[in-house]
Amino acid sequence: MLEGRYFNPDVYLETDSGRVFTPERSAAAFERAYADLERALLLASPGARLFVVVGVQGSGKTTWVREHAAVLGESAFFFDAALPRAIHRARAVGIAKTVGVSVVAVWIQATLEAALARNRMRRNDHRVPDSAIQSVHSIMERPSVAEGFEEVREVRT
């Protein structure tokens, strides 16, 4: 999906037998996603924008990207991850700011019940433990322009 413009740490968890989650693999996946994001943004055309798409697992972040990527055009880049607090979003924002790319937060809001239900519909190796979704939901902070975002878009699903 969106080769060279879409970055989701979960993609780096894929193996020949499906997605494999461990704390170590997850940390490495984020590192690879950030490194690939930085490389892509360094090569981006003037006017590029990074959309940091945040929300609990199962909220509809990836669906939002699929539905909006064409409209936003070739200069749009996407970082798709839960990133519940400002401290979790800071690295993506910092990468964009360092290379001179404007950054927009897209906060996909879903009820805990809706996120859990969507998660249950995923294939087995893509399901997140309910406890992880509950944990992220409990600490989710509204993104803010004070974090360095040019704009914050809120989407209810």
Side-chain angles (χ1 to χ4, degrees):
M1 177 167 96
L2 302 166
E3 189 66 34
R5 297 189 301 127
Y6 176 75
F7 307 90
N8 180 334
D10 289 347
V11 170
Y12 300 92
L13 297 173
E14 295 291 345
T15 69
D16 291 339
S17 57
R19 221 175 255 179
V20 177
F21 293 94
T22 67
E24 298 79 18
R25 285 180 55 76
S26 184
F30 265 93
E31 288 305 316
R32 287 185 59 199
Y34 286 130
D36 288 349
L37 173 66
E38 184 171 21
R39 270 192 294 282
L41 293 182
L42 282 167
L43 299 172
S45 303
R49 292 195 321 173
L50 173 63
F51 292 84
V52 178
V53 187
V54 304
V56 300
Q57 309 92 319
S59 62
K61 297 180 300 295
T62 304
T63 298
W64 185 91
V65 172
R66 279 192 203 109
E67 292 173 352
H68 292 84
V71 172
L72 293 170
E74 294 293 319
S75 63
F77 293 77
F78 304 91
F79 196 87
D80 172 352
L83 305 175
R85 292 190 167 166
I87 193 166
H88 301 121
R89 299 183 283 267
R91 188 157 174 198
V93 171
I95 289 168
K97 294 290 185 183
T98 297
V99 299
V101 170
S102 65
V103 60
V104 174
V106 180
W107 182 24
I108 308 298
Q109 300 174 52
T111 65
L112 177 59
E113 295 75 21
L116 291 168
R118 285 188 193 110
N119 186 56
R120 284 191 286 275
M121 294 187 303
R122 293 175 170 170
R123 54 185 236 219
N124 286 343
D125 65 313
H126 285 204
R127 281 192 198 125
V128 177
D130 285 358
S131 60
I133 295 173
Q134 292 162 342
S135 175
V136 168
H137 187 269
S138 73
I139 65 169
M140 184 62 71
E141 295 175 348
R142 165 179 270 124
S144 146
V145 293
E147 296 174 46
F149 294 112
E150 167 187 305
E151 166 188 3
V152 176
R153 299 180 184 185
E154 295 186 19
V155 178
R156 293 192 189 276
T157 61

